[in-house]
Amino acid sequence: METISMEFYTALMSIIFIDLVLAGDNALLIGMVAKNLPSKQQKKVIIIGTLAAIFMRIIFTLLAVKLLEIDGLLFIGGVLLVYIAIKLLVTEENTDIRVSKKSFWGAAWTIMLADFLMGIDNIIAVAGAAYGNMLLVIFGLLISIPIIVWGSTIVIRIIEKFPIFIYLGAGVLAWTASKMIIQDAYVQPYLTNPLPIILFQLLLIFIVIAIGFILRNRNKTHISTN
């Protein structure tokens, strides 16, 4: 993939969009941790914790990119990404990480740990969307994570007000998953015609959004009746 190409910039926008959709809860937890500190330390711990989290995310995502080069793992990663796309539509992100740290370094460590544990889905999605391009991984994360941290409230409010963004996010994840699956070394020999490939990609997007829509509405009905 050339750096100056439509494919590169399309993949970059996909990575940024995936992070915006998936990582809102990470940013909220960072804010919750910072609130436990004196006001003078809050901004500093957010900056230090976020920079450390970005560094960790880049390292683990680059590792995931290399692992996806192993035959068969692209297929497994694609199937897992389908699950993540449906989960995005059906459930809210939860974490058991305690946010009661009141020391500066304790809070910074909590931010780093939280970002890693809550960001595993992001790592898989971004690694798949990068298609082996390390520069895409670094650019995408450097751009999107600061946006999430400092604009988390805006991002979450937009998603809550316009649920269509959740479905768009799930669609992007399903599209990324389909490309991972069809690019796997064990799958490619069975794909010789472009038309079945496109039909498979569109069908997978439709299935993910349809299942997510049905389960999401079922959950809402169940909550409203209790």
Side-chain angles (χ1 to χ4, degrees):
M1 186 188 299
E2 296 181 5
T3 303
I4 304 176
S5 68
M6 182 58 68
E7 186 183 6
F8 178 89
Y9 291 112
T10 301
L12 179 60
M13 292 306 297
S14 295
I15 289 173
I16 294 172
F17 190 71
I18 285 169
D19 265 324
L20 288 175
V21 172
L22 286 178
D25 287 336
N26 303 47
L28 279 182
L29 190 136
I30 289 173
M32 290 167 63
V33 173
K35 283 181 180 179
N36 292 319
L37 295 173
S39 57
K40 292 182 180 179
Q41 294 184 351
Q42 288 179 2
K43 188 174 182 179
K44 187 183 293 185
V45 78
I46 288 175
I47 292 173
I48 292 176
T50 301
L51 290 176
I54 291 172
F55 176 77
M56 286 179 60
R57 185 77 69 85
I58 289 174
I59 295 298
F60 283 106
T61 307
L62 292 177
L63 177 61
V65 168
K66 298 304 291 183
L67 286 174
L68 289 176
E69 294 178 1
I70 300 173
D71 293 350
L73 287 188
L74 263 178
F75 178 83
I76 294 172
V79 172
L80 185 57
L81 200 53
V82 170
Y83 166 75
I84 291 171
I86 295 173
K87 177 173 168 283
L88 171 67
L89 292 172
V90 177
T91 63
E92 295 296 328
E93 198 78 40
N94 291 309
T95 179
D96 294 326
I97 299 170
R98 291 176 296 172
V99 297
S100 58
K101 296 289 186 182
K102 295 187 178 180
S103 68
F104 180 84
W105 291 112
W109 169 251
T110 301
I111 289 173
M112 291 169 56
L113 181 64
D115 185 81
F116 171 69
L117 294 179
M118 296 175 66
I120 292 174
D121 52 356
N122 304 58
I123 290 171
I124 296 170
V126 170
Y131 308 121
N133 191 311
M134 302 297 188
L135 189 61
L136 263 176
V137 172
I138 296 172
F139 271 10
L141 294 176
L142 286 176
I143 292 172
S144 58
I145 294 179
I147 293 174
I148 294 162
V149 171
W150 283 289
S152 59
T153 305
I154 297 173
V155 171
I156 291 168
R157 282 179 181 173
I158 290 174
I159 290 174
E160 287 178 348
K161 190 171 182 180
F162 303 102
I164 185 68
F165 281 100
I166 292 289
Y167 289 97
L168 287 175
V172 170
L173 289 174
W175 178 262
T176 302
S178 71
K179 297 196 78 170
M180 292 171 70
I181 292 170
I182 64 179
Q183 288 176 359
D184 188 84
Y186 291 122
V187 177
Q188 281 188 338
Y190 301 98
L191 301 173
T192 56
N193 192 316
L195 183 58
I197 294 175
I198 295 172
L199 290 176
F200 166 73
Q201 292 179 292
L202 294 176
L203 181 62
L204 188 61
I205 293 171
F206 173 79
I207 291 172
V208 165
I209 292 178
I211 292 174
F213 179 81
I214 293 169
L215 294 178
R216 188 181 178 91
N217 283 313
R218 183 181 297 175
N219 286 350
K220 286 182 180 178
T221 304
H222 178 72
I223 292 171
S224 62
T225 55
N226 289 341

